[in-house]
């Protein structure tokens, strides 16, 4: 195995030697929710990691990527990070976060899933199991109690219903920018009474009502997402605007008595055709994501942003070489991101083995050299004070091979 | 009013229209079985028949040519073209919504919804806007009581699917066109055809099978000269026989058709379809017995979808009185409109448009699923806090529109009958207005479910 001079991940053995006792001592007060904020962003559809974070210094980069290769100078040049890796030109705000040492980029990273189905891949990514459908709830839900979060108003999904990632024993909330005027309280109380003996609807409505109050100011500038002023639908625009969702999440997370954990998601990454390089469909989607992330940062304000970590991952990467239609097909390893004011950023962490065909999985995919669970575990441990024992036994069972990566979060 | 009739109308149908439970009452199972045949076709808002795919393919090609002709600096003209596509899709869906509200064969229509979602073609990427409506009309509706292999073939060769999963851009690397243009294959349709549409993700195929099937399907593309819009282009077809799951297929259209038919007849496909069918119509977690019955009938009849639908109707598990499945937003809005006999006779399309916007706001709109997997089949997808609040808000808004003289209790008795709980009856009786009583009925647990 040829190791690159890039900052390498700690050897797993060295981290494992730390032991659980140390973590327990350090996180003795983990029983109540602190005021740290954690957001998890799922990019559904398999983001092309080589487009998002191009390893332009690799000698095989230009030839392997062909028409998808990004330029290092001129119009639409990529943003250099460390002389070897860069960021896609659309990632203007992420580049600023990197320069402010608030962004870490991970490469050749993937969940334990090794086949190429989106839906199984997302199931593994969200459930935290080693195989699809092995676990019925989400790893983030299993981490809530160890964080001291036992009820729904502290954990929030920015979707109509919580995704698998946040589903499980602890009931969690969900919120979207309002699209219809809310009915009056009196009527809602009547409905609540009607749901008294229906646990699913009762709890769901109670949660929605609790969030409604909290979200009033988040809704102020979130735009209506579905109906235009003349009632005509917006369908052709594609995957919908991300900014109202991220901005709303930022505002809700900013409240001192509001949620501490949020999940967000964005789709539109399944670029089988005409992916484009500096310009094109993927570039536009990455820009929308970049702008949305910045709107979340702004909505939080500096004080809350400094207590925030956002981890962003996708179910797997895409093929290294372009396919026959200017796109990429389903692959294995890819990129992940960790950012926020609480992040000890300014680095790319990758066990890089090159892009020549011999180094690729099945001669086509980026290999998976780092387990995404290692990243998730470190964030939960260092940022949200989840004890090591809970991480190993409950949150990520069978994850001993994916020891947490140290030093991702500011003390 | 017999309970079985109400269950038939709500669980298998799309919610009762006034008088429908009486119609089903004498023989609820017979009423359902009699509906299982080729589905009805929707009409455009102006009453006209929608064009066939061949016409749409030609229109699309003209649009693309026009788009190229427009100078890059003229965004208004481009937007206008995009708007034209959106209108085609919007009109198709308006026809579909209306048919759902008014049909006297609601079980047939419900079967269309199931199969459309099973073979998801989404318009979210924009490229399929022109063809999506035609997809359902041509590849789903005629086949809901036909053989699965025929539906699978119609779906796989439909322009909408070929565009959606990029097969029209998939070129055999060693084909004439591939060698000339240096282009290659695209795995998307090959993979999803096995993973989602036939064998299922555990269906025992490998990455090399995905590549083989993608090769087999190279050359399947769009032809504006064919009425169906489909064409086979030998110059893009990968030469040489392909080995798919141990069997060799000839490098021509015949080989491709045989490969699709073989997938349809695979026992894994029977298992996959039986599980989804039971999950959709009967229970979020169907019993192994239910799945086994459906699977057996699928295998025994060689994939006869009429037999499959009838078997589901005959399953005792489908007749449990308590509704367990949360209605999807489409089912919810449709059940509401059917109960209220909407849209009215002289509606100018506004009620339909409002229903379309509402369903979308609740999180579901036909043929816009976020991925080829389609909309989720289970209740938890639609019972989240924000989703539920949107439904209650919609119920309240519908309640706000009732006319003087409206009697919510009478509507409840007629259209839900024995399914209405006493708690709901009490709450409705206590409501301040008839509109609020109706809104409570539409919000009630028994109306949220089917």
């Amino acid at each position: 195995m040829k190791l690159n001079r890039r900052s390498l991940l700690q050897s797993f053995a060295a981290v494992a030697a730390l032991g659980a006792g140390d973590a327990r001592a350090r996180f003795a007060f983990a029983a109540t929710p602190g005021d740290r904020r954690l957001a998890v962003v799922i990019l559904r559809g398999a983001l092309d990691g080589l487009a998002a974070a191009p390893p332009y210094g690799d000698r095989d980069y230009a030839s392997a990527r062909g028409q998808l290769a990004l330029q290092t100078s001129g119009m639409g040049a990529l943003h250099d990070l460390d002389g070897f890796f860069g960021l896609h030109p659309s990632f203007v705000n992420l580049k600023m976060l990197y320069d402010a040492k608030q962004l870490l980029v991970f490469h050749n990273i993937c969940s334990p899933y090794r086949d190429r189905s989106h839906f199984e891949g997302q199931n593994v990514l969200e459930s935290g199991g080693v195989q699809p459908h092995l676990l019925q709830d989400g790893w983030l839900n299993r981490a809530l109690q160890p964080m001291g979060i036992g009820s729904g108003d502290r954990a929030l999904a920015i979707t109509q219903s919580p995704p698998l990632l946040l589903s499980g024993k602890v009931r969690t909330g969900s919120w979207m920018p309002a699209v219809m005027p809310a009915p009056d309280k009196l009527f809602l109380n009547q409905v609540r009474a009607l749901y008294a003996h229906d646990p699913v609807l009762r709890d769901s409505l109670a949660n929605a009502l609790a969030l409604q109050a909290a979200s009033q100011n988040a809704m102020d500038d979130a735009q209506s997402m579905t109906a235009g002023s003349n009632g005509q639908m917006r369908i052709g625009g594609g995957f919908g605007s991300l900014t109202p969702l991220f901005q709303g999440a930022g505002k809700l997370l900013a409240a001192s008595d509001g949620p501490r954990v949020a999940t967000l998601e964005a789709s539109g990454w399944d670029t089988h055709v005409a992916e484009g390089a500096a310009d094109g469909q993927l570039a536009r989607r990455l820009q929308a994501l970049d702008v949305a992330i910045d709107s979340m940062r702004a909505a939080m304000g500096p004080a809350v942003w400094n207590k925030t970590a956002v981890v962003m991952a996708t179910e797997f990467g895409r093929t290294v070489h372009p396919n026959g239609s200017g796109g990429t097909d389903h692959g294995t390893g890819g990129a992940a991101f960790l950012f926020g004011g609480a992040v000890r950023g300014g680095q790319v962490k990758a066990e890089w083995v090159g892009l020549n065909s011999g180094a690729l999985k099945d001669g086509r995919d980026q290999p998976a050299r780092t387990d995404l669970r290692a990243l998730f575990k470190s964030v939960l441990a260092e940022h949200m004070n989840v004890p090591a024992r809970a991480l190993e036994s409950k949150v990520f069972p069978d994850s001993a091979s994916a020891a947490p990566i140290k030093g991702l979060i500011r003390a | 009013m017999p309970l079985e009739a109400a269950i038939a109308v709500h669980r298998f149908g799309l919610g009762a229209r006034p008088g429908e439970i009486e119609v089903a009452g004498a023989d609820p199972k017979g009423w359902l079985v009699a509906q299982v045949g080729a589905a009805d076709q929707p009409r455009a808002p102006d009453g006209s028949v929608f064009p066939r795919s061949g016409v749409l393919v030609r229109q699309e090609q003209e649009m693309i040519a026009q788009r190229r002709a427009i100078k890059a600096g003229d965004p208004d003209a481009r937007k206008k073209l995009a708007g034209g596509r959106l209108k085609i899709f919007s009109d198709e869906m308006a026809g579909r919504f209306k048919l759902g509200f008014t049909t006297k064969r609601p079980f047939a229509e419900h079967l269309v919804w199931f199969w459309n979602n099973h073979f998801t073609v989404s318009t979210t990427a924009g490229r399929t806007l022109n063809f999506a409506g035609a997809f359902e009309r041509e590849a789903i509706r005629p086949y809901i009581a036909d053989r699965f292999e025929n539906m699978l073939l119609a779906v796989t060769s439909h322009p909408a699917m070929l565009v959606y999963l990029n097969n029209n851009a998939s070129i055999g690397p060693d084909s004439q066109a591939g060698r000339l243009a240096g282009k290659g294959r695209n795995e998307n349709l090959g993979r999803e055809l096995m993973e989602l549409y036939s064998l299922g993700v555990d269906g025992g195929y490998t990455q090399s099978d995905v590549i083989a099937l993608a090769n087999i399907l190279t050359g399947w593309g769009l032809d504006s000269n064919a009425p169906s819009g489909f064409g086979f282009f030998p110059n893009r077809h990968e030469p040489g026989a392909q080995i798919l799951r141990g069997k060799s297929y000839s490098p021509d259209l015949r080989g491709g058709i045989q490969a699709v038919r073989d997938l349809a007849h695979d026992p894994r496909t029977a298992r996959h379809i039986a599980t989804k069918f039971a999950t959709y119509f009967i229970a979020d977690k169907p019993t192994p017995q239910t799945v086994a019955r459906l699977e057996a009938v699928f295998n025994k009849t060689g994939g006869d979808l009429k037999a499959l639908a009838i078997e589901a109707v005959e399953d005792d598990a489908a007749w449990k009185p308590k509704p367990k499945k949360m209605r999807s937003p489409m089912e919810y809005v449709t059940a509401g409109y059917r109960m209220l006999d909407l849209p009215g006779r002289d509606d100018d399309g506004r009620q339909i448009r409002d229903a379309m916007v509402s369903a979308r706001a609740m999180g579901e709109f036909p043929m816009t699923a976020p991925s080829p997997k389609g909309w989720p089949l289970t209740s938890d997808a639609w019972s989240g806090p924000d989703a539920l609040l949107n439904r209650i808000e919609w119920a309240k808004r519908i309640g706000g529109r009732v006319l003087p003289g409206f009697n919510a209790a009478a509507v409840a008795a007629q259209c839900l009958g024995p399914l209405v709980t006493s708690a709901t009856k009490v709450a409705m009786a206590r409501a301040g207005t008839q509109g609020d009583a109706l809104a409570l009925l539409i919000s009630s647990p028994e109306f949220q479910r089917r």
Side-chain angles (χ1 to χ4, degrees):
Chain A
M1 179 178 71
K2 193 185 113 196
L3 290 182
N4 189 272
R5 66 194 159 79
R6 293 311 100 205
S7 47
L8 297 177
L9 293 171
Q10 298 259 355
S11 111
F12 290 156
V15 178
L18 246 170
D22 181 65
R24 262 206 305 281
R26 202 176 142 203
F27 303 126
F29 301 104
T32 54
D35 61 354
R36 299 257 179 137
R37 313 297 203 271
L38 170 66
V40 181
V41 181
I42 299 181
L43 304 178
R44 295 191 192 278
L47 169 72
D48 185 348
L50 294 179
Y56 72 91
D58 192 292
R59 59 186 181 154
D60 293 312
Y61 170 75
S63 59
R65 295 293 281 173
Q67 68 199 99
L68 302 180
L70 291 156
Q71 303 304 311
T72 52
S73 61
M75 279 273 283
L78 54 81
H79 306 290
D80 172 54
L81 294 182
D82 61 359
F84 185 86
F85 288 103
L87 280 178
H88 189 277
S90 291
F91 277 161
V92 174
N93 290 298
L94 286 185
K95 162 68 171 163
M96 285 166 65
L97 291 180
Y98 186 90
D99 290 344
K101 301 208 183 308
Q102 295 187 351
L103 167 69
L104 288 170
V105 179
F106 299 82
H107 235 309
N108 281 356
I109 192 166
C110 188
S111 82
Y113 180 68
R114 289 293 172 274
D115 291 321
R116 297 186 181 89
S117 153
H118 288 301
F119 315 107
E120 288 196 330
Q122 289 173 24
N123 184 278
V124 170
L125 175 68
E126 295 180 71
S127 67
V130 292
Q131 280 171 35
H133 310 294
L134 206 60
L135 301 172
Q136 303 307 312
D137 49 6
W139 61 260
L140 191 54
N141 191 289
R142 294 193 298 274
L144 292 176
Q145 264 169 350
M147 291 178 202
I149 295 178
S151 76
D153 50 352
R154 296 285 184 166
L156 179 65
I158 309 296
T159 39
Q160 286 212 343
S161 297
L164 175 62
L165 174 66
L166 198 57
S167 299
K169 271 199 197 111
V170 179
R171 273 199 76 87
T172 52
S174 67
W175 176 90
M176 293 271 275
V179 290
M180 293 185 208
D184 56 279
K185 281 225 167 63
L186 182 70
F187 177 73
L188 285 172
N189 281 336
Q190 290 172 305
V191 176
R192 192 148 56 166
L194 204 49
Y195 291 174
H197 301 292
D198 189 314
V200 172
L201 299 183
R202 179 191 64 205
D203 293 353
S204 208
L205 179 59
N207 192 285
L209 295 180
L211 277 164
Q212 213 185 20
S215 68
Q216 279 309 327
N217 69 17
M219 285 190 288
D220 290 345
D221 32 29
Q223 310 146 12
S224 163
M225 303 209 318
T226 48
S229 54
N230 59 357
Q232 209 201 353
M233 291 173 304
R234 288 192 219 149
I235 296 164
F239 297 93
S241 170
L242 297 175
T243 296
L245 306 179
F246 280 68
Q247 191 178 46
K251 289 203 169 183
L252 289 165
L253 285 167
S256 60
D257 56 351
R260 294 291 183 268
V261 173
T263 61
L264 289 128
E265 49 188 70
S267 52
W269 311 106
D270 197 15
T271 45
H272 285 281
V273 167
E275 179 171 317
D279 220 344
Q281 61 160 309
L282 182 59
R284 287 191 294 277
R285 194 65 185 149
L286 289 171
Q287 185 186 24
L289 180 65
D290 183 72
V291 168
I293 287 168
D294 194 55
S295 77
M296 176 161 73
R297 183 196 56 76
M300 282 181 171
V304 172
W305 179 251
N306 280 335
K307 298 174 199 161
T308 296
V310 183
V311 60
M312 188 160 81
T314 190
E315 64 262 34
F316 41 70
R318 307 189 71 83
T319 50
V320 170
H321 304 277
N323 65 12
S325 24
T328 47
D329 291 321
H330 302 181
T332 307
F337 303 83
L338 176 64
F339 51 90
V343 173
R344 191 191 294 273
Q347 275 188 70
V348 179
K349 288 178 177 282
E351 192 181 302
W352 195 252
V353 291
L355 289 174
N356 63 313
S357 294
L360 303 182
K361 177 174 181 278
D362 303 335
R364 52 178 269 159
D365 302 349
Q366 269 183 269
R369 289 298 182 143
T370 304
D371 192 323
L372 266 173
R373 293 174 300 170
L375 167 59
F376 298 151
K377 281 162 78 173
S378 345
V379 173
L380 291 175
E382 295 189 0
H383 187 58
M384 301 306 280
N385 290 359
V386 175
R389 188 197 285 174
L391 278 181
E392 300 300 332
S393 64
K394 187 175 158 185
V395 181
F396 289 106
D398 297 321
S399 68
S401 61
I405 310 157
K406 271 188 62 178
L408 303 184
I409 300 292
R410 292 180 205 283
Chain B
M1 184 179 292
L3 181 62
E4 275 214 338
I7 292 172
V9 166
H10 283 277
R11 192 161 301 158
F12 288 104
L14 292 171
R17 286 175 52 78
E20 195 171 13
I21 295 181
E22 281 88 344
V23 172
D27 176 13
K29 284 182 185 169
W31 177 75
L32 291 170
V33 168
Q35 297 178 37
V36 185
D40 299 318
Q41 292 290 354
R43 293 290 186 106
D46 63 7
S48 63
V49 177
F50 290 112
R52 284 198 70 181
S53 275
V55 176
L56 295 168
V57 170
R58 198 155 45 237
Q59 276 179 9
E60 175 76 11
Q61 286 172 351
E62 283 162 11
M63 265 191 212
I64 290 170
Q66 274 178 308
R67 199 182 146 90
R68 286 214 183 102
I70 295 169
K71 288 198 181 72
D74 191 356
D76 286 348
R78 286 191 165 214
K79 219 179 260 176
K80 209 169 151 192
L81 271 182
R85 275 187 182 149
L86 187 55
K87 178 151 180 4
I88 289 173
F89 179 58
S90 188
D91 283 353
E92 292 260 16
M93 291 302 108
R96 182 194 203 259
F97 269 74
K98 186 168 182 182
L99 189 52
F101 300 152
T102 54
T103 181
K104 295 199 164 106
R105 298 174 63 209
F107 183 37
E109 197 62 18
H110 214 171
L111 287 165
V112 169
W113 293 12
F114 169 79
W115 287 113
N116 177 310
N117 191 54
H118 175 74
F119 292 113
T120 284
V121 163
S122 179
T123 55
T124 43
R127 295 170 289 114
T128 53
L129 277 170
N130 260 4
F131 313 120
F135 176 75
E136 183 179 275
R137 289 187 284 107
E138 296 167 347
I140 305 291
R141 290 184 178 273
Y143 297 100
I144 60 165
D146 200 317
R147 285 182 177 279
F148 182 71
E149 61 178 303
N150 294 336
M151 191 190 272
L152 190 64
L153 196 55
V155 160
T156 309
S157 61
H158 196 277
M161 183 62 84
L162 295 170
V163 170
Y164 179 49
L165 293 183
N166 317 120
N167 203 72
N168 62 331
S170 181
I171 295 169
D174 290 322
S175 69
Q176 208 184 342
R179 283 199 310 270
L180 270 174
K183 291 195 169 176
R185 127 195 99 232
N186 188 304
E187 294 174 9
N188 210 4
L189 180 60
R191 176 183 306 282
E192 305 302 11
L193 180 53
M194 290 192 284
E195 176 181 334
L196 297 176
Y197 303 150
S198 59
L199 304 175
V201 70
D202 300 321
Y205 55 89
T206 62
Q207 176 63 30
S208 60
D209 290 323
V210 170
I211 291 174
L213 185 52
N215 280 338
I216 286 170
L217 294 173
T218 49
W220 290 40
L222 273 55
D223 183 356
S224 60
N225 293 319
S228 67
F230 169 79
F232 177 73
F233 300 90
N235 65 329
R236 293 191 226 154
H237 190 68
E238 181 69 359
Q242 297 290 325
I243 309 293
L244 173 65
R245 305 177 76 235
K247 184 173 167 184
S248 177
Y249 294 93
S250 59
D252 48 27
L253 180 58
R254 216 168 37 118
I257 291 171
Q258 193 55 49
V260 173
R261 291 200 189 279
D262 286 347
L263 286 173
H265 284 284
D266 193 288
R268 310 256 196 176
T269 298
R271 177 102 196 146
H272 181 214
I273 298 295
T275 307
K276 281 190 79 174
F277 202 82
T279 307
Y280 185 81
F281 282 106
I282 298 179
D284 285 346
K285 286 189 182 139
T287 62
Q289 292 87 335
T290 290
V291 174
R293 285 176 57 136
L294 296 179
E295 183 184 356
V297 85
F298 191 103
N299 278 325
K300 194 179 76 192
T301 62
D304 180 348
L305 301 183
K306 181 171 182 171
L308 181 73
I310 292 172
E311 190 70 16
V313 167
E314 295 291 344
D315 189 344
D316 288 343
W319 298 90
K320 301 248 166 71
K322 196 171 164 61
K324 288 270 193 227
K325 284 202 62 86
M326 193 83 177
R327 285 191 153 119
S328 78
M330 277 302 292
E331 291 172 334
Y332 187 60
V333 168
T334 300
Y337 266 54
R338 288 178 72 82
M339 178 168 76
L340 297 169
D341 197 13
L342 292 173
R345 229 172 273 276
D346 45 351
D347 179 51
D348 57 358
R350 207 176 308 174
Q351 300 266 26
I352 304 267
R353 279 198 301 278
D354 192 76
M356 292 166 81
V357 171
S358 299
R360 189 167 176 76
M362 291 178 209
E364 185 193 26
F365 191 89
M367 313 202 77
T368 66
S371 80
K373 195 179 180 187
W375 299 106
L377 302 184
T378 52
S379 300
D380 49 0
W382 311 118
S383 58
D386 190 75
L388 182 60
L389 198 58
N390 276 330
R391 291 158 83 112
I392 296 169
E393 284 164 1
W394 180 75
K396 174 75 175 160
R397 229 175 35 168
I398 295 291
R401 289 191 207 151
V402 300
L403 297 171
F406 181 83
N407 184 339
V411 168
Q414 189 179 32
C415 292
L416 274 93
L419 296 175
V420 193
T421 62
S422 53
T424 300
K425 283 184 199 159
V426 169
M428 288 173 68
R430 283 191 195 146
T433 64
Q434 285 297 319
D436 273 6
L438 173 64
L440 284 168
L441 176 65
I442 296 178
S443 305
S444 70
E446 57 268 35
F447 198 84
Q448 297 282 1
R449 300 195 175 89
R450 63 171 170 90

